Amino acid sequence: MAKILIVSDLHQQRKCLDNLARVLQKEKPDGVICPGDITERRAGNFEYARQFVELCAVRKLPLRVVHGNNDPPEVREYFKNQKVLWHFQCEKLWGAQFCGVGWLDEEGSKTIPEKFDVARSIFITHAPPTWTLLFDQKSKPVLHISGHMHSWEGEQERNGIRWVRIPTFMHGRYAVLTLPDQKVNFRSI
């Protein structure tokens, strides 16, 4: 069984890096996923992103992120160069198929590319599931995990898709996903 730590919306707060180190030690996950807003559009964002990636790298933990609306292009490029960014990409990891999409306002489009197939995947986005209404029964993911909502955490079903809203790590909340059972547990630091 794989145990995946999910943290979202750190918003470049130093306490989040300190807390992440503690949570990694406590939870001992097999990997880490972040549905965006790791940084802010302000000075020091590149260094913060580097430190975030390093916390996982020194523990040899696979890390995957989607960028949020506050993660600027230079941070997104850094994540891409580190091979941790899922943006219109899918990957088999931890025994499951994952697909990810970052914040779309900067992309100039809100449509899914034709060759981007999220069928039966665990779909990771920063934004809430506005797209899930577009999926037909054959192309929809089995699980949609998103950040961005800050104080809203929990699970619900939308258009036959299980949607999990990850709480904000800057408020001391995170989630643990276990695979292959796809159970999500919400936790506090």
Side-chain angles (χ1 to χ4, degrees), residues 49 66 175:
V66 297

Side-chain angles (χ1 to χ4, degrees), residues 51-69:
Q51 290 173 13
F52 178 77
V53 170
E54 186 66 17
L55 278 169
C56 295
V58 299
R59 292 165 175 83
K60 298 182 176 26
L61 291 173
L63 167 68
R64 296 299 182 271
V65 305
V66 297
H67 65 279
N69 54 304

Side-chain angles (χ1 to χ4, degrees), residues 80 84-91 97-101 116:
K80 183 177 177 183
V84 299
L85 180 68
W86 277 336
H87 185 55
F88 289 119
Q89 291 184 351
C90 295
E91 177 180 18
Q97 181 73 5
F98 288 85
C99 295
V101 175
F116 185 64

